[in-house]
Coordinates of all heavy atoms in Angstrom, one line a residue:
L410 N -86.4 10.8 46.9 CA -86.7 12.2 46.9 C -87.1 12.6 45.5 O -88.1 13.4 45.4 CB -85.4 13.0 47.3 CG -85.6 14.5 47.4 CD1 -86.6 14.9 48.4 CD2 -84.2 15.2 47.6
V411 N -86.4 12.2 44.5 CA -86.8 12.5 43.1 C -86.8 11.2 42.3 O -85.7 10.6 42.2 CB -85.8 13.5 42.5 CG1 -86.1 13.7 41.0 CG2 -85.7 14.8 43.2
P412 N -87.9 10.7 41.9 CA -88.0 9.4 41.2 C -87.1 9.4 39.9 O -86.5 8.3 39.6 CB -89.4 9.3 40.8 CG -90.2 10.1 41.8 CD -89.3 11.3 42.1
F413 N -87.0 10.5 39.2 CA -86.3 10.5 37.9 C -85.8 11.9 37.6 O -86.5 12.8 37.7 CB -87.1 10.0 36.8 CG -86.2 9.8 35.5 CD1 -85.5 8.6 35.3 CD2 -86.1 10.8 34.6 CE1 -84.8 8.4 34.1 CE2 -85.4 10.6 33.4 CZ -84.7 9.4 33.2
I414 N -84.5 12.0 37.3 CA -83.9 13.3 36.9 C -82.8 13.0 35.9 O -82.1 12.0 35.9 CB -83.2 14.0 38.1 CG1 -82.6 15.4 37.7 CG2 -82.2 13.1 38.8 CD1 -82.1 16.2 38.9
K415 N -82.8 13.8 34.8 CA -81.8 13.6 33.8 C -80.5 14.2 34.3 O -80.4 15.3 34.8 CB -82.2 14.4 32.5 CG -83.5 14.0 31.9 CD -83.3 12.6 31.2 CE -82.6 12.8 29.9 NZ -82.5 11.5 29.1
M416 N -79.5 13.3 34.3 CA -78.1 13.7 34.8 C -77.2 14.0 33.7 O -76.4 13.1 33.2 CB -77.6 12.6 35.8 CG -78.4 12.5 37.0 SD -78.3 13.9 38.1 CE -76.6 13.9 38.6
E417 N -77.3 15.2 33.1 CA -76.5 15.6 32.0 C -75.7 16.8 32.3 O -76.3 17.8 32.9 CB -77.4 15.8 30.7 CG -78.2 14.6 30.3 CD -79.2 14.8 29.2 OE1 -79.5 16.0 29.0 OE2 -79.6 13.9 28.5
A418 N -74.4 16.8 31.9 CA -73.6 18.0 32.2 C -74.2 19.3 31.6 O -74.8 19.2 30.5 CB -72.2 17.8 31.6
P419 N -74.1 20.4 32.3 CA -73.4 20.6 33.5 C -74.1 20.4 34.8 O -73.8 20.9 35.9 CB -73.0 22.1 33.4 CG -74.2 22.7 32.7 CD -74.7 21.7 31.7
Y420 N -75.2 19.6 34.8 CA -75.9 19.1 36.0 C -76.5 20.3 36.8 O -76.6 20.3 38.0 CB -75.0 18.3 36.9 CG -74.2 17.3 36.2 CD1 -72.8 17.4 36.0 CD2 -74.8 16.2 35.6 CE1 -72.1 16.5 35.3 CE2 -74.1 15.2 34.9 CZ -72.7 15.4 34.7 OH -72.0 14.5 34.0
T421 N -77.0 21.3 36.1 CA -77.5 22.5 36.7 C -78.7 22.2 37.6 O -78.8 22.7 38.7 CB -77.9 23.6 35.7 OG1 -76.7 23.8 34.9 CG2 -78.4 24.9 36.3
E422 N -79.7 21.4 37.1 CA -80.9 21.1 37.9 C -80.5 20.4 39.2 O -81.1 20.7 40.2 CB -81.8 20.2 37.0 CG -83.1 19.9 37.7 CD -84.0 19.0 36.9 OE1 -83.6 18.5 35.8 OE2 -85.1 18.7 37.3
F423 N -79.6 19.4 39.1 CA -79.1 18.7 40.3 C -78.5 19.6 41.3 O -78.8 19.6 42.5 CB -78.2 17.6 39.9 CG -77.7 16.8 41.0 CD1 -78.4 15.9 41.7 CD2 -76.4 17.0 41.5 CE1 -77.9 15.1 42.8 CE2 -75.9 16.3 42.6 CZ -76.6 15.4 43.2
K424 N -77.6 20.5 40.8 CA -76.8 21.4 41.7 C -77.8 22.4 42.4 O -77.6 22.7 43.6 CB -75.7 22.1 40.9 CG -74.6 21.3 40.4 CD -73.7 22.0 39.5 CE -72.6 21.2 38.9 NZ -71.8 21.9 37.9
D425 N -78.7 22.9 41.6 CA -79.7 23.8 42.2 C -80.5 23.1 43.4 O -80.7 23.7 44.4 CB -80.7 24.3 41.2 CG -80.1 25.3 40.2 OD1 -79.0 25.8 40.5 OD2 -80.7 25.5 39.1
L426 N -80.9 21.9 43.2 CA -81.6 21.1 44.2 C -80.7 20.9 45.4 O -81.1 21.1 46.6 CB -82.1 19.8 43.7 CG -82.8 18.9 44.7 CD1 -84.0 19.6 45.3 CD2 -83.2 17.6 44.0
V427 N -79.4 20.5 45.2 CA -78.5 20.3 46.3 C -78.3 21.6 47.1 O -78.3 21.5 48.4 CB -77.1 19.8 45.8 CG1 -76.1 19.7 46.9 CG2 -77.3 18.4 45.2
D428 N -78.1 22.7 46.4 CA -77.9 24.0 47.1 C -79.1 24.3 48.0 O -79.0 24.8 49.1 CB -77.7 25.1 46.1 CG -76.4 24.9 45.4 OD1 -75.5 24.2 45.9 OD2 -76.2 25.6 44.4
K429 N -80.4 24.0 47.5 CA -81.6 24.3 48.3 C -81.6 23.4 49.5 O -82.0 23.8 50.6 CB -82.8 24.1 47.5 CG -83.0 25.2 46.4 CD -84.2 24.8 45.5 CE -84.4 25.9 44.4 NZ -85.5 25.5 43.5
I430 N -81.3 22.1 49.3 CA -81.3 21.2 50.5 C -80.3 21.6 51.5 O -80.6 21.6 52.7 CB -80.9 19.7 50.0 CG1 -82.1 19.2 49.1 CG2 -80.7 18.8 51.1 CD1 -81.7 17.9 48.4
I431 N -79.1 22.0 51.1 CA -78.1 22.3 52.1 C -78.4 23.6 52.8 O -78.2 23.8 54.0 CB -76.7 22.4 51.4 CG1 -76.2 21.0 51.0 CG2 -75.7 23.1 52.2 CD1 -75.0 21.0 50.1
D432 N -79.0 24.6 52.1 CA -79.4 25.9 52.7 C -80.4 25.7 53.8 O -80.3 26.2 54.9 CB -79.9 26.8 51.6 CG -78.8 27.4 50.8 OD1 -77.7 27.3 51.1 OD2 -79.2 28.0 49.7
W433 N -81.4 24.8 53.5 CA -82.4 24.5 54.5 C -81.9 23.8 55.7 O -82.1 24.1 56.9 CB -83.6 23.7 53.9 CG -84.7 23.4 54.8 CD1 -85.7 24.2 55.2 CD2 -84.9 22.1 55.5 NE1 -86.6 23.6 56.1 CE2 -86.1 22.3 56.2 CE3 -84.3 20.9 55.4 CZ2 -86.6 21.2 57.0 CZ3 -84.8 19.8 56.2 CH2 -86.0 20.0 56.9
W434 N -81.0 22.8 55.4 CA -80.4 22.0 56.5 C -79.5 22.9 57.4 O -79.5 22.8 58.6 CB -79.7 20.9 55.9 CG -78.8 20.1 56.8 CD1 -79.1 19.3 57.8 CD2 -77.3 20.0 56.7 NE1 -78.0 18.7 58.4 CE2 -76.9 19.1 57.7 CE3 -76.4 20.5 55.8 CZ2 -75.6 18.8 57.9 CZ3 -75.1 20.1 56.0 CH2 -74.7 19.3 57.0
A435 N -78.7 23.7 56.7 CA -77.7 24.6 57.5 C -78.5 25.6 58.3 O -78.0 26.0 59.4 CB -76.8 25.3 56.5
D436 N -79.6 26.0 57.9 CA -80.4 27.0 58.6 C -81.1 26.4 59.9 O -81.3 27.1 60.9 CB -81.4 27.7 57.7 CG -80.8 28.7 56.8 OD1 -79.7 29.1 57.0 OD2 -81.5 29.1 55.8
H437 N -81.5 25.2 59.8 CA -82.4 24.6 60.8 C -81.8 23.5 61.6 O -82.3 23.1 62.7 CB -83.7 24.1 60.1 CG -84.5 25.1 59.5 ND1 -84.3 25.5 58.2 CD2 -85.5 25.9 60.0 CE1 -85.2 26.4 57.9 NE2 -85.9 26.7 59.0

Side-chain angles (χ1 to χ4, degrees):
L410 179 64
V411 177
F413 187 87
I414 182 174
K415 296 288 285 185
M416 292 296 292
E417 297 174 345
Y420 314 109
T421 303
E422 183 183 5
F423 177 78
K424 291 171 184 173
D425 288 345
L426 177 60
V427 173
D428 291 343
K429 290 176 183 176
I430 292 171
I431 289 171
D432 286 346
W433 180 77
W434 170 64
D436 285 344
H437 295 91

